[in-house]
Amino acid sequence: MPSAYSHLEHHPVGCFFLFLSFVDYLDAIAAVIEQQQEPVILVGHSSAGFLLQAVAPRVGKKIAHLVFHNAFILPDGASQLDMLLPEFAPILIDAAIASPDKSIPVLEDLIRNALMKDDSTEVQNALLSHLVPQPFVLFNTKVNTNDFLPLNIFQTVLFCKDDRSLPAGTYIEMAHSLSTYEVIECPGGHETLFINPKIIADTLTKIVTSSTFHAIAS
């Protein structure tokens, strides 16, 4: 039976989202990890936090370290929509309903006033030029995270402490559902990974060269 991907050439690009499932995300990540020669350090930013939770049970032996960078970390059976501020969830739902391919378009006001409220218009414009719509399944899928909890994988929360996209303390509170982890802070907001990647790269280097990491990895 041909997969949904084989029909992509017959439809506008956006219609591809109609065929994309949450499992497709996990399959794509797992496939890359399985190809690696050595266990990997897997970093998940924002929505990718719960993708780490969902994919790690499938490829746990190939993961040396998980880093949750200002990430959504979900309790079992929750979706990202469940963790958003009450005023944001209806905006995303209405946008998906209005979209012919059930995707979330790039919501400029949300990006400028929630994710990047402290950044200049020039920097905001630069990020917006790279963004594309996202399938709604990334936001409304209820994620099984129970299988993640027993995994013996060292976990770090990399937190940019100037992030104001959620109420103060929310990202750290979500991390409390992890079994064992350390918190490493650095300056910057939610989109520091794009705005100042050197800060993130330097902090990741600090994480993976720390004595704590080597003690766990060995």
Side-chain angles (χ1 to χ4, degrees), residues 2-200:
S3 72
Y5 299 100
S6 65
H7 300 293
L8 178 60
E9 61 186 286
H10 303 300
H11 296 276
V13 171
C15 292
F16 177 54
F17 290 139
L18 291 172
F19 302 110
L20 194 64
S21 71
F22 188 76
V23 173
D24 290 324
Y25 275 91
L26 305 185
D27 289 344
I29 298 169
V32 173
I33 294 173
E34 290 285 11
Q35 294 171 8
Q36 306 310 307
Q37 298 287 326
E38 302 289 339
V40 302
I41 299 165
L42 197 60
V43 182
H45 169 252
S46 198
S47 301
F50 55 86
L51 291 174
L52 265 58
Q53 289 177 280
V55 78
R58 294 175 50 174
V59 290
K61 292 182 179 180
K62 300 283 283 188
I63 300 174
H65 196 140
L66 293 169
V67 180
F68 295 89
H69 169 31
N70 291 61
F72 283 85
I73 301 169
L74 302 182
D76 186 63
S79 70
Q80 185 176 9
L81 279 180
D82 297 328
M83 311 304 289
L84 295 177
L85 292 172
E87 60 265 33
F88 287 159
I91 295 173
L92 300 184
I93 293 170
D94 290 345
I97 291 173
S99 170
D101 57 15
K102 299 300 181 286
S103 67
I104 304 293
V106 177
L107 300 173
E108 184 174 334
D109 287 345
L110 195 64
I111 302 298
R112 293 189 188 277
N113 299 315
L115 297 184
M116 304 184 74
K117 63 176 67 175
D118 295 323
D119 300 305
S120 69
T121 300
E122 181 181 6
V123 170
Q124 292 173 353
N125 290 343
L127 178 64
L128 284 164
S129 70
H130 290 278
L131 299 181
V132 297
Q134 298 183 79
F136 191 47
V137 293
L138 186 63
F139 297 86
N140 73 337
T141 297
K142 303 289 187 180
V143 182
N144 171 15
T145 60
N146 274 341
D147 295 339
F148 173 77
L149 293 176
L151 297 179
N152 186 25
I153 302 174
F154 193 60
Q155 299 156 29
T156 298
V157 173
L158 194 175
F159 180 57
C160 287
K161 57 188 177 182
D162 304 313
D163 189 339
R164 296 202 293 146
S165 62
L166 292 177
T170 301
Y171 286 107
I172 299 300
E173 288 173 10
M174 284 192 281
H176 291 167
S177 64
L178 301 175
S179 53
T180 302
Y181 63 96
E182 65 173 354
V183 177
I184 302 294
E185 292 188 347
C186 68
H190 193 74
E191 301 298 344
T192 300
L193 184 64
F194 174 81
I195 297 168
N196 192 343
K198 186 178 186 303
I199 289 180
I200 304 303

